Amino acid sequence: RVPRPWGWVTGFFTYETTKSVVVKSWSVGIINRVVQLLIILYFVCYVFYREKAYQVRDSGIQSSVMTKVKGFGYVNNHVMDVADYVAPTQGSAVFCIITKLIVTENQFQGRCPEVESSYKCDSDQDCSKHLGSYLGNGVITGSCVKSSQGNRCEMVGWCPAEVDKLQVKPMMEVENFTIFIKNSIRFPRFNVTRGNFPSSLNKTYIRSCRYDSSHNRHCPIFKVGDVLRYTGQNLSTIGHTGGEIGINIQWLCNLDLSEERCEPHYSFTRLDAVFEKNRVSKGYNFRFAKYYKSENGTDFRTLHKAYAIRFDILVTGLAGKFDPIPTLINIVAAFTSVGLGSILCDLILLNFLTGADQYKARKFEEVFFVLFLYTINITSLSTPSSPSIKPVSNDSGAVSLNLDQQL
Ligand SMILES: *[C@@H]1O[C@H](CO)[C@@H](O)[C@H](O)[C@H]1NC(C)=O
C-alpha cells in the first residue's frame, strides 16, 4: 500500500484516455469521412493556399511619393505652364491641376456694392439682415448703394467684388498633360525596399511611354485623359466643377517568391463621387491672389478663383513571408477542426438514425450504477492479485483502471 502522503502523487501521475465507441454504420461512416474531407479541403485550399496562413504579414508599409506634371495649355490666349496650373508646386502626393480660372484684376481695399442678386435692396433697411454675414465678398456696411446692376448692399473689402458666375471654358489641353509618379516603399518587417518602376527601364522608354494596364504596366507616366477615362469621368464636366481623383498604388507582395515580383498595381477612382450629384458643394475650387504695389504705395491684387482636379495618390501594401509559427498554429487548428466531423455525426446518431436509443445507451454509461458494482467488487470480493477497477475520487470523478497489484 502506498503511504498516505504519497496518495495524491500517484493520483496525479495517471493518464486518462477517452473510451471510443466504434459505430459500424455505412451512412454515418460516409458522413463522417465526407465532413472530414470538406474540412481538410477548406484548410488546404482556402486557409493555406488562398489566404496563405503559413505567412507572417506586414501591412505597415512606408511610402514616399513624388509627382511631376508636364504640359502646356491656354487660358484667355495665355499659355499656362506647370508653375501656373499646379498647386501646390512641390510635387507632393496630393496636388491640383487647375482647369478653370475666374480672374478678378486690380482689387483695391475700399467700399463698393456687392454683385449677387441676393444683395438687392431698396433701402438701408433691406441690408441690415446681411450684417455679420460671411457669404459675401466683404464686410456688409448696412447701406444700400447704386451699382451698374441696380441697387445693391455696400461692403468693405477688396473692390471691385468678384463676379464668379462668369461662363469660362475649362482648359481642355489638360487631357494631354502627363503625371509622372515616383513611389518608393519599404516593408520594415522584412526590410524590403521597392520602387514603382524597375531601375532597368531605359531612358528613352520612360520619356515616351504612357501607362496602360495591359501593355505598359511599368510605365510611371499617366496621361490625365486616361486617368479620367479609367474613373469614368470626362474633362468637359469635371473641368467645369473641379473634382477629386484618387490614384491608388497597391503593393501586394508574396516575398516567398522573387522580390522582383513585388510590383505595384494602379487603380483609379473618383474620390468625391458621393457629392457629385449634390446640390451644394459640387466639385472642388479654391481662391488665391497675387499682390502688387502701385506707385503711390497702396497694395492691389489679382484674385483667382480656381476650379481644379485634385489628385490624391494613395499607397497601400501588404507583404507576406513564410514563418514557422503561424504555420504550426494553423496546422494545429486544421487537425483540431477535423474532429468537428464527429459532432455532426453524434448529432445524427443520437437523434435521427434508427437505433439511436441503442447507441445512446452505449455512449453514455450510467455512472452511478457502475460505481455501485465496483464498490461491491472491492469490498466483498476483494481479490488483490488481479487488476481491479475502482473509483478514484481525486481525478475528476472518472472511472479509472488501476493496474497496480496492491490495493
Ligand atoms: C491632345 O493630343 C492629341 C494628339 O497629340 C491631339 O490630337 C489633341 O487635339 C490634343 N487635345 C487637346 C485638347 O489639345
Side-chain angles (χ1 to χ4, degrees), residues 172-176 223:
M172 290 309 283
E173 293 84 4
V174 171
E175 72 166 339
N176 282 344
K223 207 177 115 179

mmCIF file of all heavy atoms in Angstrom, residues 172-176 223, ligand 1:
data_model
loop_
_atom_site.group_PDB
_atom_site.id
_atom_site.type_symbol
_atom_site.label_atom_id
_atom_site.label_comp_id
_atom_site.label_asym_id
_atom_site.label_seq_id
_atom_site.Cartn_x
_atom_site.Cartn_y
_atom_site.Cartn_z
ATOM 1 N N MET A 172 -8.971 72.696 -71.987
ATOM 2 C CA MET A 172 -9.159 71.326 -72.484
ATOM 3 C C MET A 172 -7.839 70.598 -72.733
ATOM 4 O O MET A 172 -7.802 69.382 -72.798
ATOM 5 C CB MET A 172 -9.984 71.330 -73.780
ATOM 6 C CG MET A 172 -11.441 71.699 -73.584
ATOM 7 S SD MET A 172 -12.269 70.757 -72.293
ATOM 8 C CE MET A 172 -12.534 69.201 -73.119
ATOM 9 N N GLU A 173 -6.746 71.341 -72.834
ATOM 10 C CA GLU A 173 -5.444 70.700 -73.074
ATOM 11 C C GLU A 173 -5.011 69.817 -71.901
ATOM 12 O O GLU A 173 -4.090 69.016 -72.032
ATOM 13 C CB GLU A 173 -4.361 71.754 -73.336
ATOM 14 C CG GLU A 173 -4.526 72.524 -74.631
ATOM 15 C CD GLU A 173 -5.489 73.696 -74.503
ATOM 16 O OE1 GLU A 173 -5.964 73.961 -73.382
ATOM 17 O OE2 GLU A 173 -5.794 74.335 -75.523
ATOM 18 N N VAL A 174 -5.707 69.972 -70.745
ATOM 19 C CA VAL A 174 -5.358 69.169 -69.564
ATOM 20 C C VAL A 174 -5.387 67.671 -69.873
ATOM 21 O O VAL A 174 -4.610 66.911 -69.322
ATOM 22 C CB VAL A 174 -6.318 69.507 -68.398
ATOM 23 C CG1 VAL A 174 -6.145 68.548 -67.241
ATOM 24 C CG2 VAL A 174 -6.105 70.923 -67.927
ATOM 25 N N GLU A 175 -6.250 67.287 -70.797
ATOM 26 C CA GLU A 175 -6.344 65.852 -71.081
ATOM 27 C C GLU A 175 -5.045 65.283 -71.648
ATOM 28 O O GLU A 175 -4.774 64.103 -71.533
ATOM 29 C CB GLU A 175 -7.499 65.556 -72.043
ATOM 30 C CG GLU A 175 -7.251 66.005 -73.463
ATOM 31 C CD GLU A 175 -8.247 65.397 -74.430
ATOM 32 O OE1 GLU A 175 -8.841 64.366 -74.096
ATOM 33 O OE2 GLU A 175 -8.426 65.975 -75.518
ATOM 34 N N ASN A 176 -4.219 66.123 -72.237
ATOM 35 C CA ASN A 176 -2.934 65.643 -72.754
ATOM 36 C C ASN A 176 -1.788 65.847 -71.768
ATOM 37 O O ASN A 176 -0.667 65.479 -72.055
ATOM 38 C CB ASN A 176 -2.600 66.346 -74.075
ATOM 39 C CG ASN A 176 -3.374 65.751 -75.231
ATOM 40 O OD1 ASN A 176 -3.914 64.653 -75.114
ATOM 41 N ND2 ASN A 176 -3.444 66.474 -76.327
ATOM 42 N N LYS A 223 -1.333 59.720 -68.483
ATOM 43 C CA LYS A 223 -1.996 60.815 -69.188
ATOM 44 C C LYS A 223 -3.267 61.161 -68.416
ATOM 45 O O LYS A 223 -4.035 60.265 -68.040
ATOM 46 C CB LYS A 223 -2.338 60.360 -70.615
ATOM 47 C CG LYS A 223 -2.409 61.490 -71.612
ATOM 48 C CD LYS A 223 -2.668 60.967 -73.006
ATOM 49 C CE LYS A 223 -4.014 61.466 -73.464
ATOM 50 N NZ LYS A 223 -4.361 61.058 -74.804
HETATM 51 C C1 LIG B 1 -4.227 66.020 -77.388
HETATM 52 O O1 LIG B 1 -3.258 65.418 -78.191
HETATM 53 C C2 LIG B 1 -3.781 64.860 -79.381
HETATM 54 C C3 LIG B 1 -2.668 64.129 -80.079
HETATM 55 O O2 LIG B 1 -1.464 64.787 -79.974
HETATM 56 C C4 LIG B 1 -4.392 65.958 -80.237
HETATM 57 O O3 LIG B 1 -4.927 65.431 -81.400
HETATM 58 C C5 LIG B 1 -5.492 66.643 -79.434
HETATM 59 O O4 LIG B 1 -6.007 67.742 -80.151
HETATM 60 C C6 LIG B 1 -4.936 67.141 -78.111
HETATM 61 N N1 LIG B 1 -6.046 67.625 -77.297
HETATM 62 C C7 LIG B 1 -6.179 68.900 -76.959
HETATM 63 C C8 LIG B 1 -7.378 69.255 -76.196
HETATM 64 O O5 LIG B 1 -5.355 69.727 -77.256
#
